[in-house]
């Protein structure tokens, strides 16, 4: 798949990744593109995935399902692998790639936001 996009990562959680992602989405939208936000895994998503809601709101698109923006929403505010394990599931690279490919079908630019920080 030949998809344009940006991957956003930070050194820690709460360093502004979602704020930067929403600004990029708005910029692309204002330039006539159909950006698609994608946060493959959101932790601390209880009762709702608030980052995914903010990202989708920046697109001005009600047709974009939250399950596409953030296909894995986990309630515990801990590392994604630990949050998934607490629910008896695992997160796999093929699963993450499949969700990104599905999301890419919804627009012109995929804006992917990592969960937590690289460190």
């Amino acid at each position: 798949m030949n998809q344009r996009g940006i991957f956003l990562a930070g050194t820690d959680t709460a360093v502004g990744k979602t704020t930067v992602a929403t600004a990029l989405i708005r910029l692309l939208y204002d330039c006539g593109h159909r950006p698609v936000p994608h946060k493959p895994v959101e932790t601390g998503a209880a009762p709702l995935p608030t980052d995914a809601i903010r990202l989708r709101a920046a697109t001005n698109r009600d047709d974009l399902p939250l399950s596409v923006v953030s296909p894995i929403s986990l309630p515990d505010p801990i590392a994604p692998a630990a949050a998934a394990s607490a629910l008896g599931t695992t997160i796999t690279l093929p699963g993450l790639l499949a969700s990104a490919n599905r999301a890419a079908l919804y627009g012109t630019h995929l804006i992917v936001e990592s969960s937590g920080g690289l460190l």
Side-chain angles (χ1 to χ4, degrees), residues 75-96:
D76 291 332
I78 55 177
S85 179
L87 295 177
T89 188
T90 58
I91 298 169
T92 66
L93 183 55
L96 294 173

Side-chain angles (χ1 to χ4, degrees), residues 34-101:
R34 289 178 49 90
V36 179
H38 188 60
K39 183 162 184 157
V41 180
E42 183 170 347
T43 60
L48 298 171
T50 56
D51 287 351
I53 291 168
R54 284 181 59 201
L55 292 166
R56 183 178 70 177
T59 68
N60 274 347
R61 294 180 56 194
D62 293 332
D63 66 313
L64 193 57
L66 277 178
S67 61
V68 168
V69 175
S70 186
I72 303 172
S73 294
L74 303 166
D76 291 332
I78 55 177
S85 179
L87 295 177
T89 188
T90 58
I91 298 169
T92 66
L93 183 55
L96 294 173
L97 292 173
S99 72
N101 286 330

